[in-house]
């Protein structure tokens, strides 16, 4: 396939940045989107030009690093996949493809298509964990009965990989689907009940401090999420927050 790539280039966080056109040829339909970018970068390096910086790691849809905004959609036109799982057969010969970083005030651009998503890490640090007694008197988690429905819902919430597609696709740059998933995976389990009040209060507070917007129930986040995280997790987080406020 012969394609025209319009890629956001930005030298650093202080640079204004701009879209730059790159014609590319010889792209196979079975290539992944990142393999296509690898081909482009090899060409740029061979010409003595600066390669395009983009995040990637596992390339198996697990780590959430490869987050690109492709033709106006987080992770591109396919559904239920990350950018690294997107294949070039989703495009046609002669297409023009727009490639941008995730846009949000809380996700500042570091370089080109790379953004700083450490805001998610700070939200996790605020409460996205279960404290465990390691004094030698620990209780085997498998000895605590868990309702099958709750266990399934908790597992579904835990599939969130923290890629940030929910933020990028939201008109308000809201992180509530991410935070809702992280709160839900613990709120549904007995192990998470002990710190439930502090967890939701601290994580929501940190989310607000990071500059993410609020949720207005558009639902774009659920549609673009590569793991299909449900909006039900936002509703559960709101209930947990309300209960915690009364206890407060």
């Amino acid at each position: 396939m012969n394609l025209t790539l319009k890629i956001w280039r930005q030298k650093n966080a202080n640079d204004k940045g701009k879209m730059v056109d790159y014609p590319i040829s010889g792209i196979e339909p079975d290539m992944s989107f990142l393999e296509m970018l690898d081909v482009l970068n090899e060409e740029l390096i061979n010409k003595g030009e600066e390669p395009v910086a983009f995040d990637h790691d596992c390339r198996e849809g697990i780590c959430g690093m490869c987050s690109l905004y492709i033709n106006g959609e987080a992770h591109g036109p396919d559904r239920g996949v990350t950018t690294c799982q997107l294949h070039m057969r989703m495009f046609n010969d002669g297409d023009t493809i727009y490639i941008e970083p995730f846009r949000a005030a809380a996700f500042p651009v570091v370089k080109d298509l790379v953004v700083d998503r450490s805001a998610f890490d700070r939200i996790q640090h605020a409460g996205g964990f279960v404290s465990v007694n390691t004094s030698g008197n620990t209780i085997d988690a498998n000895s605590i009965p868990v309702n099958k429905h709750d266990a399934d819902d908790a597992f579904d919430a835990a599939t969130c990989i923290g890629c940030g597609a929910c933020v990028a696709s939201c008109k308000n740059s809201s992180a509530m689907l991410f935070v809702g998933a992280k709160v839900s995976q613990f709120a549904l389990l007995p192990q998470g009940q002990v710190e439930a009040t502090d967890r939701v209060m601290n994580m929501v507070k940190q989310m607000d401090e990071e500059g993410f917007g609020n949720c207005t129930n558009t639902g774009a986040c659920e549609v673009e999420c590569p793991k299909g995280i449900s909006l039900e997790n936002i509703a559960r987080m709101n209930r947990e927050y309300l209960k915690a406020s009364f206890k407060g």
Side-chain angles (χ1 to χ4, degrees), residues 143-216:
S143 67
I144 303 174
V146 180
N147 178 277
K148 178 65 165 59
H149 179 74
D150 290 342
D152 288 345
D153 285 347
F155 187 84
D156 288 343
T159 60
C160 169
I161 57 176
C163 66
C166 50
V167 176
S169 59
C170 178
K171 61 185 179 182
N172 305 319
S173 296
S174 172
M176 289 188 72
L177 190 67
F178 167 76
V179 180
K182 299 306 177 185
V183 167
S184 290
Q185 74 178 81
F186 297 118
L188 287 161
L189 301 176
Q191 294 89 341
Q193 294 302 314
V194 178
E195 299 166 300
T197 298
D198 289 340
R199 176 182 300 110
V200 68
M201 295 295 285
N202 291 339
M203 293 184 76
V204 170
K205 179 184 178 182
Q206 188 64 41
M207 175 183 70
D208 291 339
E209 289 178 355
E210 295 294 342
F212 292 105
N214 208 343
C215 174
T216 49

Side-chain angles (χ1 to χ4, degrees), residues 96-246:
T96 296
I97 304 175
Y98 290 81
I99 310 171
E100 302 172 76
F102 280 0
R103 303 286 190 182
F107 287 167
V109 175
V110 176
K111 181 178 180 181
D112 294 339
L113 304 175
V114 178
V115 297
D116 180 359
R117 284 171 286 180
S118 60
F120 273 9
D121 296 330
R122 291 188 288 273
I123 293 172
Q124 282 281 78
H125 294 165
F129 53 84
V130 172
S131 298
V132 178
N133 182 349
T134 58
S135 64
N137 298 316
T138 54
I139 300 174
D140 187 350
N142 291 329
S143 67
I144 303 174
V146 180
N147 178 277
K148 178 65 165 59
H149 179 74
D150 290 342
D152 288 345
D153 285 347
F155 187 84
D156 288 343
T159 60
C160 169
I161 57 176
C163 66
C166 50
V167 176
S169 59
C170 178
K171 61 185 179 182
N172 305 319
S173 296
S174 172
M176 289 188 72
L177 190 67
F178 167 76
V179 180
K182 299 306 177 185
V183 167
S184 290
Q185 74 178 81
F186 297 118
L188 287 161
L189 301 176
Q191 294 89 341
Q193 294 302 314
V194 178
E195 299 166 300
T197 298
D198 289 340
R199 176 182 300 110
V200 68
M201 295 295 285
N202 291 339
M203 293 184 76
V204 170
K205 179 184 178 182
Q206 188 64 41
M207 175 183 70
D208 291 339
E209 289 178 355
E210 295 294 342
F212 292 105
N214 208 343
C215 174
T216 49
N217 296 310
T218 304
C221 55
E222 181 179 17
V223 173
E224 300 287 356
C225 176
K227 299 302 177 182
I229 303 297
S230 172
L231 289 174
E232 292 177 1
N233 292 292
I234 296 179
R236 185 178 296 107
M237 179 186 70
N238 287 335
R239 291 194 297 271
E240 290 290 318
Y241 188 83
L242 184 63
K243 286 192 296 183
S245 299
F246 286 139

